[in-house]
């Protein structure tokens, strides 16, 4: 097979005609991969364009490593095809492929007697010109200093980029886990390929070196490299990658920017973890709240809670409850209320109503249903007027039916009663019916 000349920056064949729609680096069509007779990936359709910085996300067993191994050619497709620069991946010779695609695998045995510099120099194997096309040169000839000036410069640059220059003479077997990981990355950098595939390159690295490796990838991306990287840390992926894909049980379930992919609903469905999504500039970052898996292991007697909210009075209370593993229902609140926004952010059941109007009948019926389902009702320190009194009236009915009622009474109802005393009267009746009075949202959550 004739080997086409490859442009060192883009990885595209030299002399290829320019196009407003450039040929993708990878064009993955209906890809399926089987292991042990079981389909573990696919069908997947994916296009990776030149200059992409793609983060591959998903829980354990979702197919991330399988996808990356398929892109390296080490796992043949069971169905579908993978095109690399518009050519079947299977048609590339080993040496030719090694000049286009550099790979940092998740696991690699480094228990041999080479120095760091010698190991990194092996990344120049694809450029050696001896045995590279048929893959029968083991790279042993590279022991010691590289033969060409360009090789020496590439190795020195890779060592410097990964802060291994001072360790260049040390044996690989004497390195820590994090140092070994950096040496493996340095070897791939010395390969000087236009495409980089990295499978969890941050494994065994402390936070400082994790950030340095990601910043290095940003620099390489800025220089024109196409990068696809498997990551476990969603926040690191959000901060550094330009595009993300999300895999679940071998299927591609989401693709887009971090803002598109990292939404609470998708994360809950795929990772079984409820999260809050915040914004840091144009990038999101997430904080975990509770795990659906963890909740599933709790006793079946977990209490269902309803929160009487409104006017932003319940936002802190809702957060306290969610942090403790509850999924309270909320209402009735205006769709413009910050309590409504908080409930939406945490994907809680919420009864809403139009602003500046009495509660409609359907909202009151929905409220009654939620209170019937709840075992505990918590009344936030809401300002009560005639329009939202039905919430207190429904709470009193629930108290008389034997429900546990918790009242957050700071500030006191005398400062929040805008109903001519009717709200105060209802609170007094709730206390007579056995309602528990607390001062803070944290105390209320504890009392549940």
């Amino acid at each position: 097979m004739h080997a086409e000349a490859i442009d060192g920056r883009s990885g595209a064949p030299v002399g290829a005609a320019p196009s407003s729609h450039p040929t993708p680096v990878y064009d993955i069509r209906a890809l399926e991969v089987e292991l042990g007779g079981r389909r573990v990936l696919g069908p997947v359709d994916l296009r990776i364009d030149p200059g992409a910085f793609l983060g591959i996300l998903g829980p354990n067993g979702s197919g991330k490593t399988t996808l990356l191994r398929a892109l390296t050619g080490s796992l043949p497709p069971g169905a579908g095809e993978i095109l690399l620069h518009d050519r079947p991946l299977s048609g590339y010779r080993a040496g030719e492929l090694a000049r286009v695609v550099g790979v940092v695998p998740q696991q690699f045995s480094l228990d041999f007697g080479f120095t760091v510099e010698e190991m990194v120099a092996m990344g120049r194997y694809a450029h050696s010109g001896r045995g590279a096309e048929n893959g029968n040169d083991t790279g042993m000839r590279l022991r010691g200093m590289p033969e060409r000036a360009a090789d020496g410069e590439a190795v020195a640059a890779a060592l410097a980029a990964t802060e291994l220059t001072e360790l260049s003479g040390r044996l690989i077997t004497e390195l820590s886990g994090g140092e070994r990981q950096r040496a493996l990355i340095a070897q791939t950098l010395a390969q000087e390929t236009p495409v980089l595939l990295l499978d969890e390159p941050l494994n065994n690295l402390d936070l400082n070196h994790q950030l340095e490796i990601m910043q290095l990838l940003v620099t390489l991306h800025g220089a024109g490299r196409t990068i696809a990287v498997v990551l476990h840390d969603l926040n690191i992926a959000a901060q550094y990658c330009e595009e993300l894909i999300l895999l679940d049980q071998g299927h591609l379930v989401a693709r887009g920017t971090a803002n598109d992919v990292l939404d609470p609903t998708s994360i809950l469905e795929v990772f079984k973890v409820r999260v809050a999504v915040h914004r840091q500039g144009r990038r999101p970052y997430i904080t975990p709240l509770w795990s659906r898996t963890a909740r599933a292991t709790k006793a079946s007697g977990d209490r269902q809670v309803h929160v009487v909210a409104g006017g932003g009075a319940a936002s802190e209370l809702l957060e306290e409850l969610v942090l403790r593993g509850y999924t309270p229902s909320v209402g009735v609140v205006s769709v413009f209320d910050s309590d409504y926004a908080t409930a939406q952010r945490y994907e809680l059941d919420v009864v809403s109503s139009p602003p500046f109007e009495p509660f409609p009948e359907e909202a009151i019926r929905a409220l009654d249903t939620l209170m019937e389902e709840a075992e505990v009702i918590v009344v936030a320190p809401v300002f009560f007027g005639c329009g939202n009194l039905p919430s207190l009236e429904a709470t009193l009915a629930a108290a008389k039916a034997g429900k546990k009622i918790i009242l957050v009474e700071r500030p006191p109802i005398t400062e929040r009663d805008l109903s001519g005393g009717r709200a105060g009267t209802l609170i007094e009746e709730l206390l007579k019916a056995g309602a528990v009075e607390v001062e803070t949202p944290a105390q209320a959550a504890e009392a549940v």
Side-chain angles (χ1 to χ4, degrees), residues 175-246:
L175 299 184
S176 68
E179 289 166 344
R180 288 187 178 203
Q181 185 71 9
R182 284 190 282 149
L184 188 57
I185 294 171
Q187 183 187 72
T188 304
L189 295 181
Q191 200 172 329
E192 292 188 318
T193 58
V195 181
L196 289 175
L197 305 178
L198 305 98
D199 193 357
E200 298 187 31
L202 307 184
N203 279 358
N204 301 313
L205 298 182
D206 58 35
L207 180 59
N208 179 55
H209 284 113
Q210 286 183 28
L211 298 180
E212 287 181 353
I213 292 300
M214 292 308 298
Q215 288 162 3
L216 174 61
L217 294 182
V218 169
T219 299
L220 294 169
H221 173 249
R225 299 290 201 281
T226 299
I227 298 172
V229 54
V230 172
L231 294 168
H232 263 305
D233 192 311
L234 303 187
N235 284 322
I236 285 181
Q239 294 306 309
Y240 289 98
C241 299
E242 295 300 319
E243 188 176 17
L244 302 176
I245 62 171
L246 182 58

Side-chain angles (χ1 to χ4, degrees), residues 7-25:
D7 183 280
R9 178 180 173 89
S10 68
V14 171
S19 171
S20 58
H21 299 287
T23 300
V25 174

Side-chain angles (χ1 to χ4, degrees), residues 99 170-171 173 253 341 373 419 434:
R99 291 193 295 274
R170 186 177 296 182
L171 292 176
T173 52
V253 296
E373 294 173 350
S419 64

Side-chain angles (χ1 to χ4, degrees), residues 225-306:
R225 299 290 201 281
T226 299
I227 298 172
V229 54
V230 172
L231 294 168
H232 263 305
D233 192 311
L234 303 187
N235 284 322
I236 285 181
Q239 294 306 309
Y240 289 98
C241 299
E242 295 300 319
E243 188 176 17
L244 302 176
I245 62 171
L246 182 58
L247 296 174
D248 186 29
Q249 299 181 44
H251 297 282
L252 198 160
V253 296
R255 176 176 186 173
T257 66
N259 285 315
D260 297 328
V261 174
L262 299 181
D263 71 276
T265 301
S266 295
I267 293 174
L268 180 60
E269 291 175 354
V270 172
F271 291 94
K272 310 301 186 257
V273 175
R274 188 180 292 279
V275 301
V277 178
H278 315 276
R279 292 289 178 267
Q280 186 174 16
R282 66 186 183 94
R283 305 274 187 166
Y285 70 97
I286 66 173
T287 53
L289 300 174
W290 56 259
S291 165
R292 177 181 286 172
T293 303
R295 282 182 57 80
T297 64
K298 289 184 179 181
S300 58
D302 277 358
R303 291 188 164 186
Q304 179 58 41
V305 181
H306 179 81

